mmCIF file with all atom_site columns, all heavy atoms in Angstrom:
data_model
loop_
_atom_site.group_PDB
_atom_site.id
_atom_site.type_symbol
_atom_site.label_atom_id
_atom_site.label_alt_id
_atom_site.label_comp_id
_atom_site.label_asym_id
_atom_site.label_entity_id
_atom_site.label_seq_id
_atom_site.pdbx_PDB_ins_code
_atom_site.Cartn_x
_atom_site.Cartn_y
_atom_site.Cartn_z
_atom_site.occupancy
_atom_site.B_iso_or_equiv
_atom_site.pdbx_formal_charge
_atom_site.auth_seq_id
_atom_site.auth_comp_id
_atom_site.auth_asym_id
_atom_site.auth_atom_id
_atom_site.pdbx_PDB_model_num
ATOM 1   N N   . LYS A 1 35 ? 223.823 56.290 221.539 1.00 92.00 ? 35 LYS A N   1
ATOM 2   C CA  . LYS A 1 35 ? 224.338 54.935 221.722 1.00 92.00 ? 35 LYS A CA  1
ATOM 3   C C   . LYS A 1 35 ? 225.596 54.713 220.879 1.00 92.00 ? 35 LYS A C   1
ATOM 4   O O   . LYS A 1 35 ? 225.591 53.924 219.940 1.00 92.00 ? 35 LYS A O   1
ATOM 5   C CB  . LYS A 1 35 ? 223.264 53.921 221.360 1.00 92.00 ? 35 LYS A CB  1
ATOM 6   C CG  . LYS A 1 35 ? 222.064 54.003 222.268 1.00 92.00 ? 35 LYS A CG  1
ATOM 7   C CD  . LYS A 1 35 ? 221.181 52.821 222.097 1.00 92.00 ? 35 LYS A CD  1
ATOM 8   C CE  . LYS A 1 35 ? 220.039 52.943 223.073 1.00 92.00 ? 35 LYS A CE  1
ATOM 9   N NZ  . LYS A 1 35 ? 219.901 51.808 223.901 1.00 92.00 ? 35 LYS A NZ  1
ATOM 10  N N   . PRO A 1 36 ? 226.677 55.398 221.212 1.00 93.00 ? 36 PRO A N   1
ATOM 11  C CA  . PRO A 1 36 ? 227.894 55.250 220.411 1.00 93.00 ? 36 PRO A CA  1
ATOM 12  C C   . PRO A 1 36 ? 228.447 53.824 220.424 1.00 93.00 ? 36 PRO A C   1
ATOM 13  O O   . PRO A 1 36 ? 229.190 53.439 219.526 1.00 93.00 ? 36 PRO A O   1
ATOM 14  C CB  . PRO A 1 36 ? 228.871 56.242 221.051 1.00 93.00 ? 36 PRO A CB  1
ATOM 15  C CG  . PRO A 1 36 ? 228.349 56.468 222.418 1.00 93.00 ? 36 PRO A CG  1
ATOM 16  C CD  . PRO A 1 36 ? 226.860 56.298 222.339 1.00 93.00 ? 36 PRO A CD  1
ATOM 17  N N   . GLU A 1 37 ? 228.066 53.024 221.416 1.00 95.00 ? 37 GLU A N   1
ATOM 18  C CA  . GLU A 1 37 ? 228.559 51.650 221.487 1.00 95.00 ? 37 GLU A CA  1
ATOM 19  C C   . GLU A 1 37 ? 228.016 50.760 220.365 1.00 95.00 ? 37 GLU A C   1
ATOM 20  O O   . GLU A 1 37 ? 228.537 49.667 220.121 1.00 95.00 ? 37 GLU A O   1
ATOM 21  C CB  . GLU A 1 37 ? 228.226 51.026 222.857 1.00 95.00 ? 37 GLU A CB  1
ATOM 22  C CG  . GLU A 1 37 ? 226.752 50.742 223.103 1.00 95.00 ? 37 GLU A CG  1
ATOM 23  C CD  . GLU A 1 37 ? 225.941 51.939 223.608 1.00 95.00 ? 37 GLU A CD  1
ATOM 24  O OE1 . GLU A 1 37 ? 226.488 53.055 223.709 1.00 95.00 ? 37 GLU A OE1 1
ATOM 25  O OE2 . GLU A 1 37 ? 224.760 51.744 223.907 1.00 95.00 ? 37 GLU A OE2 1
ATOM 26  N N   . LEU A 1 38 ? 227.003 51.238 219.644 1.00 94.00 ? 38 LEU A N   1
ATOM 27  C CA  . LEU A 1 38 ? 226.457 50.463 218.524 1.00 94.00 ? 38 LEU A CA  1
ATOM 28  C C   . LEU A 1 38 ? 227.377 50.492 217.304 1.00 94.00 ? 38 LEU A C   1
ATOM 29  O O   . LEU A 1 38 ? 227.282 49.633 216.429 1.00 94.00 ? 38 LEU A O   1
ATOM 30  C CB  . LEU A 1 38 ? 225.071 50.991 218.133 1.00 94.00 ? 38 LEU A CB  1
ATOM 31  C CG  . LEU A 1 38 ? 223.972 50.858 219.183 1.00 94.00 ? 38 LEU A CG  1
ATOM 32  C CD1 . LEU A 1 38 ? 222.685 51.517 218.673 1.00 94.00 ? 38 LEU A CD1 1
ATOM 33  C CD2 . LEU A 1 38 ? 223.733 49.409 219.541 1.00 94.00 ? 38 LEU A CD2 1
ATOM 34  N N   . PHE A 1 39 ? 228.244 51.484 217.228 1.00 96.00 ? 39 PHE A N   1
ATOM 35  C CA  . PHE A 1 39 ? 229.165 51.621 216.094 1.00 96.00 ? 39 PHE A CA  1
ATOM 36  C C   . PHE A 1 39 ? 230.319 50.633 216.217 1.00 96.00 ? 39 PHE A C   1
ATOM 37  O O   . PHE A 1 39 ? 230.776 50.335 217.314 1.00 96.00 ? 39 PHE A O   1
ATOM 38  C CB  . PHE A 1 39 ? 229.723 53.042 216.013 1.00 96.00 ? 39 PHE A CB  1
ATOM 39  C CG  . PHE A 1 39 ? 228.764 54.038 215.442 1.00 96.00 ? 39 PHE A CG  1
ATOM 40  C CD1 . PHE A 1 39 ? 227.914 54.744 216.268 1.00 96.00 ? 39 PHE A CD1 1
ATOM 41  C CD2 . PHE A 1 39 ? 228.720 54.272 214.082 1.00 96.00 ? 39 PHE A CD2 1
ATOM 42  C CE1 . PHE A 1 39 ? 227.029 55.672 215.745 1.00 96.00 ? 39 PHE A CE1 1
ATOM 43  C CE2 . PHE A 1 39 ? 227.843 55.203 213.545 1.00 96.00 ? 39 PHE A CE2 1
ATOM 44  C CZ  . PHE A 1 39 ? 226.991 55.896 214.381 1.00 96.00 ? 39 PHE A CZ  1
ATOM 45  N N   . ARG A 1 40 ? 230.791 50.183 215.067 1.00 94.00 ? 40 ARG A N   1
ATOM 46  C CA  . ARG A 1 40 ? 231.952 49.294 214.987 1.00 94.00 ? 40 ARG A CA  1
ATOM 47  C C   . ARG A 1 40 ? 233.007 49.933 214.083 1.00 94.00 ? 40 ARG A C   1
ATOM 48  O O   . ARG A 1 40 ? 232.656 50.611 213.119 1.00 94.00 ? 40 ARG A O   1
ATOM 49  C CB  . ARG A 1 40 ? 231.567 47.935 214.399 1.00 94.00 ? 40 ARG A CB  1
ATOM 50  C CG  . ARG A 1 40 ? 230.527 47.196 215.211 1.00 94.00 ? 40 ARG A CG  1
ATOM 51  C CD  . ARG A 1 40 ? 231.150 46.668 216.517 1.00 94.00 ? 40 ARG A CD  1
ATOM 52  N NE  . ARG A 1 40 ? 230.142 46.072 217.377 1.00 94.00 ? 40 ARG A NE  1
ATOM 53  C CZ  . ARG A 1 40 ? 229.734 46.583 218.528 1.00 94.00 ? 40 ARG A CZ  1
ATOM 54  N NH1 . ARG A 1 40 ? 230.232 47.701 218.972 1.00 94.00 ? 40 ARG A NH1 1
ATOM 55  N NH2 . ARG A 1 40 ? 228.829 45.980 219.262 1.00 94.00 ? 40 ARG A NH2 1
ATOM 56  N N   . PRO A 1 41 ? 234.295 49.693 214.359 1.00 93.00 ? 41 PRO A N   1
ATOM 57  C CA  . PRO A 1 41 ? 235.330 50.234 213.470 1.00 93.00 ? 41 PRO A CA  1
ATOM 58  C C   . PRO A 1 41 ? 235.226 49.635 212.072 1.00 93.00 ? 41 PRO A C   1
ATOM 59  O O   . PRO A 1 41 ? 234.871 48.467 211.912 1.00 93.00 ? 41 PRO A O   1
ATOM 60  C CB  . PRO A 1 41 ? 236.634 49.797 214.144 1.00 93.00 ? 41 PRO A CB  1
ATOM 61  C CG  . PRO A 1 41 ? 236.270 49.421 215.532 1.00 93.00 ? 41 PRO A CG  1
ATOM 62  C CD  . PRO A 1 41 ? 234.838 48.979 215.498 1.00 93.00 ? 41 PRO A CD  1
ATOM 63  N N   . MET A 1 42 ? 235.533 50.442 211.081 1.00 89.00 ? 42 MET A N   1
ATOM 64  C CA  . MET A 1 42 ? 235.598 49.948 209.704 1.00 89.00 ? 42 MET A CA  1
ATOM 65  C C   . MET A 1 42 ? 236.824 49.057 209.594 1.00 89.00 ? 42 MET A C   1
ATOM 66  O O   . MET A 1 42 ? 237.883 49.397 210.110 1.00 89.00 ? 42 MET A O   1
ATOM 67  C CB  . MET A 1 42 ? 235.717 51.105 208.715 1.00 89.00 ? 42 MET A CB  1
ATOM 68  C CG  . MET A 1 42 ? 234.467 51.920 208.557 1.00 89.00 ? 42 MET A CG  1
ATOM 69  S SD  . MET A 1 42 ? 233.490 51.469 207.143 1.00 89.00 ? 42 MET A SD  1
ATOM 70  C CE  . MET A 1 42 ? 234.593 51.802 205.797 1.00 89.00 ? 42 MET A CE  1
ATOM 71  N N   . THR A 1 43 ? 236.687 47.960 208.895 1.00 84.00 ? 43 THR A N   1
ATOM 72  C CA  . THR A 1 43 ? 237.808 47.042 208.705 1.00 84.00 ? 43 THR A CA  1
ATOM 73  C C   . THR A 1 43 ? 238.371 47.122 207.289 1.00 84.00 ? 43 THR A C   1
ATOM 74  O O   . THR A 1 43 ? 239.287 46.409 206.947 1.00 84.00 ? 43 THR A O   1
ATOM 75  C CB  . THR A 1 43 ? 237.369 45.598 208.990 1.00 84.00 ? 43 THR A CB  1
ATOM 76  O OG1 . THR A 1 43 ? 236.275 45.278 208.123 1.00 84.00 ? 43 THR A OG1 1
ATOM 77  C CG2 . THR A 1 43 ? 236.954 45.431 210.441 1.00 84.00 ? 43 THR A CG2 1
ATOM 78  N N   . GLN A 1 44 ? 237.796 47.979 206.481 1.00 81.00 ? 44 GLN A N   1
ATOM 79  C CA  . GLN A 1 44 ? 238.233 48.135 205.094 1.00 81.00 ? 44 GLN A CA  1
ATOM 80  C C   . GLN A 1 44 ? 238.318 49.617 204.755 1.00 81.00 ? 44 GLN A C   1
ATOM 81  O O   . GLN A 1 44 ? 237.695 50.440 205.406 1.00 81.00 ? 44 GLN A O   1
ATOM 82  C CB  . GLN A 1 44 ? 237.275 47.417 204.145 1.00 81.00 ? 44 GLN A CB  1
ATOM 83  C CG  . GLN A 1 44 ? 235.821 47.789 204.374 1.00 81.00 ? 44 GLN A CG  1
ATOM 84  C CD  . GLN A 1 44 ? 234.839 46.752 203.854 1.00 81.00 ? 44 GLN A CD  1
ATOM 85  O OE1 . GLN A 1 44 ? 235.226 45.701 203.407 1.00 81.00 ? 44 GLN A OE1 1
ATOM 86  N NE2 . GLN A 1 44 ? 233.568 47.059 203.907 1.00 81.00 ? 44 GLN A NE2 1
ATOM 87  N N   . GLU A 1 45 ? 239.091 49.955 203.749 1.00 81.00 ? 45 GLU A N   1
ATOM 88  C CA  . GLU A 1 45 ? 239.253 51.354 203.368 1.00 81.00 ? 45 GLU A CA  1
ATOM 89  C C   . GLU A 1 45 ? 237.976 51.921 202.771 1.00 81.00 ? 45 GLU A C   1
ATOM 90  O O   . GLU A 1 45 ? 237.658 53.086 202.926 1.00 81.00 ? 45 GLU A O   1
ATOM 91  C CB  . GLU A 1 45 ? 240.414 51.505 202.382 1.00 81.00 ? 45 GLU A CB  1
ATOM 92  C CG  . GLU A 1 45 ? 240.787 52.942 202.107 1.00 81.00 ? 45 GLU A CG  1
ATOM 93  C CD  . GLU A 1 45 ? 241.165 53.730 203.350 1.00 81.00 ? 45 GLU A CD  1
ATOM 94  O OE1 . GLU A 1 45 ? 241.972 53.262 204.159 1.00 81.00 ? 45 GLU A OE1 1
ATOM 95  O OE2 . GLU A 1 45 ? 240.632 54.845 203.523 1.00 81.00 ? 45 GLU A OE2 1
ATOM 96  N N   . THR A 1 46 ? 237.219 51.085 202.080 1.00 77.00 ? 46 THR A N   1
ATOM 97  C CA  . THR A 1 46 ? 235.963 51.500 201.460 1.00 77.00 ? 46 THR A CA  1
ATOM 98  C C   . THR A 1 46 ? 234.857 50.593 201.956 1.00 77.00 ? 46 THR A C   1
ATOM 99  O O   . THR A 1 46 ? 234.999 49.367 201.913 1.00 77.00 ? 46 THR A O   1
ATOM 100 C CB  . THR A 1 46 ? 236.064 51.398 199.923 1.00 77.00 ? 46 THR A CB  1
ATOM 101 O OG1 . THR A 1 46 ? 237.159 52.201 199.488 1.00 77.00 ? 46 THR A OG1 1
ATOM 102 C CG2 . THR A 1 46 ? 234.791 51.872 199.262 1.00 77.00 ? 46 THR A CG2 1
#
Side-chain angles (χ1 to χ4, degrees):
K35 296 193 178 234
E37 70 276 4
L38 296 176
F39 283 91
R40 300 288 174 249
M42 289 262 298
T43 58
Q44 51 202 5
E45 189 58 49
T46 303

